Amino acid sequence: MKLYDLELSGNCYKVRLFSALAGIEIDIVPVDFMAGEHKKSPVIDLNPWGELPVLQDDDVVLRDSQAILVYLARKYGGNQWWPDSAAHQGEIVQWLSVASNEIQNGPCAARLVDKFGMQLNKERTLEVSDRILPLLESHLTNNEWLALNRPTIAECAVFPYVATAWEGGVDLTPYKAINSWMSRIKELPGYKSMPGIE
Amino acid sequence: MKLYDLELSGNCYKVRLFSALAGIEIDIVPVDFMAGEHKKSPVIDLNPWGELPVLQDDDVVLRDSQAILVYLARKYGGNQWWPDSAAHQGEIVQWLSVASNEIQNGPCAARLVDKFGMQLNKERTLEVSDRILPLLESHLTNNEWLALNRPTIAECAVFPYVATAWEGGVDLTPYKAINSWMSRIKELPGYKSMPGIE
């Protein structure tokens, strides 16, 4: 099983983090993003959208980090990270959507501007961050984990771009519950970090 | 089972559409959005995020339309709309992420500006639309359905804000495959429309 990977991408890190926590072996294939390797064969043949990460597991090929998390957890992760029941799946998908939308367009996009010089509206990325982080803080004030009172793939989807938010100028100091939650994640057996996370 | 609903919301319509297609009975509870009922009891108690839709099924309460689709399909929809296997779930979640992010911030956001006067950057909504619609067109040129070669909850997540894109000034005329796909959806047994879709 191969993960076409960019080390500095939080979306790729979601998959690396989950595979580390769940003890799933994946061959990491580094893609030279600056050289545009993701727009060339073989990556573009696997994912015509030209985005990373891409997972290839025999004849299964998936783009989108949330989809890859669901696939890996369902296939190799047992019931712990992505359970079987409707209510539990629904509870987790709420956070996959937040990862896809608010976290992506808030702290992730702010980091893309500051760290990689992407031409996005920085003010808007901070507005989105300022809306989602207090909601996350409020949830984590009343809950140790995002869903099911235990670590799930929701953590792997949301944590990477929250933990690197400071690289986009988003200050997490006021968010005590978010900081405690990040500490709990860092203490999970098998936890792996990425550049930008202390 | 209750759906706290706004008729003109495509996110609420995702749930109404799926329940119609899958034959799931839900009591629709209209919420007076203009009067701010979603920010007051009982809706705000169920969803502190102050967003619609909200689903209440006994002790299960869910926000986020994608999460509600997964819940309903898993609990009441059989294997047809949201199958059991890892590869199939992964394939569908790719499109749930697209619905949460690109469709929400592209055609949906363009419609929020034009139809409801929301203060968003219209140009940016059109840029996002101009990126995602050709990718969708290309996929649907080679596939009748978004995933699994059959209708799934992916259709219910993506269709509503594509079909109402014209209300945000997004012209779908050039996209022949998207138009054919929309026609196929409208012919599905049980299909229900919403205002803004002809």
Side-chain angles (χ1 to χ4, degrees):
Chain A
M1 182 158 53
K2 287 180 189 171
L3 179 72
Y4 291 87
D5 180 69
L6 175 65
E7 191 182 22
L8 293 180
S9 157
N11 281 318
C12 293
Y13 171 55
K14 292 176 190 178
V15 182
R16 299 196 305 268
L17 172 61
F18 176 63
S19 65
L21 292 174
I24 301 167
E25 278 205 25
I26 304 182
D27 295 328
I28 303 294
V29 183
V31 175
D32 189 341
F33 200 81
M34 300 309 286
E37 266 186 16
H38 57 300
K39 305 280 189 192
K40 297 174 191 160
S41 258
V43 187
I44 197 77
D45 305 325
L46 295 171
N47 180 13
W49 294 34
E51 294 173 342
L52 296 173
V54 183
L55 185 84
Q56 183 175 29
D57 187 15
D58 288 330
D59 59 343
V60 174
V61 176
L62 291 169
R63 57 173 174 77
D64 181 66
S65 48
Q66 282 66 240
I68 295 171
L69 291 177
V70 167
Y71 171 75
L72 289 175
R74 180 86 189 134
K75 181 135 190 188
Y76 302 108
N79 229 19
Q80 177 183 356
W81 302 92
W82 172 246
D84 213 35
S85 88
H88 289 172
Q89 290 188 356
E91 198 178 334
I92 291 173
V93 172
Q94 293 181 136
W95 293 103
L96 301 187
S97 291
V98 167
S100 292
N101 186 10
E102 290 91 345
I103 300 291
Q104 186 76 26
N105 294 291
C108 167
R111 176 175 174 267
L112 289 176
V113 175
D114 280 14
K115 194 175 168 82
F116 300 101
M118 263 187 71
Q119 299 289 316
L120 295 167
N121 182 336
K122 180 71 194 289
E123 201 184 337
R124 175 70 186 149
T125 69
L126 298 179
E127 282 170 15
V128 177
S129 301
D130 286 346
R131 180 170 174 274
I132 192 61
L133 291 172
L135 291 169
L136 187 60
E137 174 74 8
S138 168
H139 180 82
L140 289 168
T141 301
N142 301 310
N143 300 275
E144 286 218 335
W145 303 100
L146 294 176
L148 316 190
N149 300 314
R150 66 172 194 255
T152 68
I153 56 170
E155 264 69 35
C156 300
V158 174
F159 172 77
Y161 286 117
V162 174
T164 53
W166 68 274
E167 293 189 305
V170 176
D171 180 18
L172 294 185
T173 315
Y175 300 112
K176 293 194 192 321
I178 292 178
N179 280 295
S180 301
W181 167 74
M182 292 197 298
S183 298
R184 284 191 290 280
I185 291 176
K186 291 175 186 172
E187 286 161 12
L188 289 173
Y191 170 81
K192 259 192 192 163
S193 190
M194 76 169 271
I197 301 179
E198 62 176 24
Chain B
M1 185 158 51
K2 288 181 189 171
L3 179 71
Y4 291 87
D5 181 69
L6 174 65
E7 190 182 22
L8 293 180
S9 157
N11 281 319
C12 293
Y13 171 56
K14 294 176 189 177
V15 182
R16 299 196 305 269
L17 173 61
F18 176 63
S19 65
L21 293 173
I24 300 167
E25 279 205 23
I26 304 182
D27 295 327
I28 304 292
V29 183
V31 175
D32 189 340
F33 200 80
M34 300 311 285
E37 268 186 16
H38 57 302
K39 305 279 189 194
K40 298 174 192 161
S41 258
V43 188
I44 197 76
D45 305 325
L46 295 171
N47 180 14
W49 294 35
E51 293 173 343
L52 296 173
V54 183
L55 185 84
Q56 183 175 30
D57 187 16
D58 288 329
D59 59 343
V60 174
V61 177
L62 291 169
R63 58 173 173 78
D64 181 67
S65 48
Q66 282 67 237
I68 295 171
L69 290 176
V70 167
Y71 171 75
L72 289 175
R74 180 87 190 134
K75 181 136 192 188
Y76 302 108
N79 229 18
Q80 177 183 356
W81 302 93
W82 171 246
D84 212 36
S85 88
H88 289 172
Q89 290 188 355
E91 198 179 333
I92 291 174
V93 172
Q94 293 182 136
W95 294 104
L96 301 187
S97 291
V98 167
S100 292
N101 185 9
E102 290 92 344
I103 300 291
Q104 186 76 26
N105 295 290
C108 167
R111 177 175 174 267
L112 289 176
V113 175
D114 281 15
K115 193 174 168 82
F116 300 100
M118 262 187 70
Q119 299 290 317
L120 295 167
N121 181 337
K122 180 72 195 286
E123 202 184 334
R124 174 71 187 151
T125 69
L126 297 179
E127 282 170 15
V128 177
S129 301
D130 286 347
R131 181 170 174 272
I132 192 61
L133 291 172
L135 291 169
L136 187 60
E137 174 74 8
S138 169
H139 180 83
L140 289 168
T141 301
N142 301 310
N143 301 274
E144 287 218 333
W145 304 100
L146 294 177
L148 315 192
N149 300 314
R150 67 171 192 256
T152 67
I153 57 170
E155 265 68 35
C156 300
V158 174
F159 172 78
Y161 286 117
V162 174
T164 53
W166 67 274
E167 293 190 304
V170 176
D171 180 17
L172 295 184
T173 315
Y175 300 112
K176 291 193 193 323
I178 291 177
N179 280 294
S180 300
W181 168 74
M182 292 197 297
S183 297
R184 283 192 291 280
I185 291 175
K186 291 174 186 173
E187 285 161 13
L188 290 173
Y191 171 81
K192 260 191 190 163
S193 190
M194 76 169 269
I197 302 178
E198 61 176 25

